[in-house]
Amino acid sequence: MVKQLVLLFGPTIMIILGLPILQNVPITFLLFYGWLLLIPIVVSFRRKNRNRFFVPQPKSSLTVGIISGIICLIAIYGFFYLFQSLVIDRENLSTLLVQWDFTGSKVILLVFFLILVNPILEEVYWRRFMYDRLFHRLGSTFTILITSFFYSLYHLVVVMPIFNSPFHILAAMIVFLAGIMWGIFRSKFHTIIPSIVSHSLADLGIMLVYLFIIL
């Protein structure tokens, strides 16, 4: 039980160390993605778990991933386009990004990383690694709810200083619902490919908001 709690809270702890404490985005990336990448490898190796991260899937699963991802992209961009002045204080955000060292050439690299790498590592960790660890004890429904909650928890830590109140709570709730959706994909199709595709398009929407609305 203690080990499961460490694995569930681990990503959030990495985010807290990187942003509120060290206040540095590149270091946060190293801590957070280092955890997402290394922990499943180490634990799976120790348990001699040879289950594959990806399995063949029907074409319908890819279609579901693409359509849901496009809907997420449009919804994210449209929401910020319409309500940007209510959600974000541009002056405060600009100061915060400089304080976090999210500036200059690092921005391009980090944006590229968020679109292409982040969805894979997050889906492997939550919808494959943690899902498999909890499923046999809790069943599909509780596993999806628990992994979605802890998935949304560190997103709340990230958006609290960025979004005006109460939009940081709303954002965390939306992330929680997205986690449930991707968990359902994992349960229904027995693969994380659709959730990765959908997640990638959703992250692309967030990056388009940053590049074309916030900047």
Side-chain angles (χ1 to χ4, degrees), residues 12-27:
T12 300
I13 294 172
M14 296 301 105
I15 292 292
I16 292 173
L17 286 174
L19 287 183
I21 295 178
L22 298 177
Q23 299 185 347
N24 188 286
V25 170
I27 291 177

Side-chain angles (χ1 to χ4, degrees), residues 89-152:
D89 183 333
R90 287 174 175 268
E91 183 176 348
N92 176 67
L93 179 59
S94 298
T95 302
L96 191 63
L97 293 177
V98 172
Q99 183 178 351
W100 286 353
D101 198 23
F102 191 72
T103 57
S105 60
K106 300 185 189 73
V107 173
I108 297 177
L109 177 62
L110 298 181
V111 166
F112 176 82
F113 197 91
L114 284 169
I115 295 174
L116 297 181
V117 180
N118 176 74
I120 295 175
L121 292 183
E122 285 194 318
E123 292 306 311
V124 167
Y125 190 86
W126 293 111
R127 257 65 71 174
R128 190 274 175 184
F129 175 66
M130 291 307 304
Y131 184 98
D132 287 351
R133 291 184 67 87
L134 299 176
F135 174 76
H136 296 295
R137 298 181 182 180
L138 303 176
S140 178
T141 300
F142 282 109
T143 295
I144 290 172
L145 289 173
I146 290 173
T147 54
S148 298
F149 172 78
F150 283 96
Y151 168 67
S152 64

Side-chain angles (χ1 to χ4, degrees), residues 22-38:
L22 298 177
Q23 299 185 347
N24 188 286
V25 170
I27 291 177
T28 303
F29 269 54
L30 290 175
L31 292 172
F32 176 68
Y33 291 112
W35 180 280
L36 294 188
L37 176 64
L38 296 177

Side-chain angles (χ1 to χ4, degrees), residues 22 27 67 103 105 107 117 128 153 158 165 175 177 185 193:
L22 298 177
I27 291 177
I67 292 176
T103 57
S105 60
V107 173
V117 180
R128 190 274 175 184
L153 184 61
V158 172
S165 179
V175 171
L177 294 176
F185 291 171
I193 293 295

